[in-house]
Amino acid sequence: MDTEFSFEWDEEKDRDNQMKHGVSFEEAMAIFSDSRRVEFFDSKHSFLEERWKIFGMSGSIVYMVICTERNGNIRIISAREASKFEEEDYFYGYSSKSS
């Protein structure tokens, strides 16, 4: 993914995500400022477009964001706090990136 970011999302999907996961897409954008974020290609869900799982911190919380690139923008599809297992992915990725 590029280092310059422009974001987009579906407003209804954002409201649904807030109800389900308690995280707004605007809040989720913060992880893209995390220089230690970890990005995984999501081949399981990349049938019509490439999707990415991004793990990053905002404050003291690790978030998991699903997104795609569309028309030069990052389109956020889903966002939530990372599970304990996903936090391990984040911290493992963090330590392997800094080696």
Side-chain angles (χ1 to χ4, degrees):
M1 306 204 104
D2 296 331
T3 56
E4 296 284 326
F5 303 114
S6 297
F7 296 92
E8 66 178 58
W9 55 77
D10 178 277
E11 293 295 334
E12 186 174 338
K13 180 72 173 156
D14 181 32
R15 285 189 297 276
D16 291 346
N17 196 82
Q18 289 178 57
M19 294 290 291
K20 184 174 182 179
H21 299 297
V23 178
S24 72
F25 290 169
E26 186 170 349
E27 183 180 355
M29 289 186 330
I31 72 162
F32 290 87
S33 296
D34 179 358
S35 64
R36 297 175 179 157
R37 71 185 175 277
V38 182
E39 303 175 356
F40 295 98
F41 179 68
D42 185 4
S43 60
K44 186 176 179 181
H45 298 102
S46 294
F47 299 111
L48 301 175
E49 60 189 358
E50 290 186 357
R51 291 196 175 187
W52 295 84
K53 287 184 180 181
I54 315 287
F55 298 93
M57 288 191 88
S58 177
S60 61
I61 299 172
V62 178
Y63 291 96
M64 191 277 299
V65 174
I66 301 293
C67 62
T68 191
E69 288 189 47
R70 191 178 293 170
N71 301 320
N73 296 320
I74 294 174
R75 184 169 181 86
I76 297 176
I77 298 167
S78 179
R80 61 175 170 75
E81 287 188 31
S83 69
K84 294 296 178 195
F85 178 75
E86 291 165 335
E87 283 183 8
E88 290 176 12
D89 283 343
Y90 171 81
F91 289 113
Y92 174 77
Y94 164 81
S95 56
S96 69
K97 282 176 97 173
S98 62
S99 308

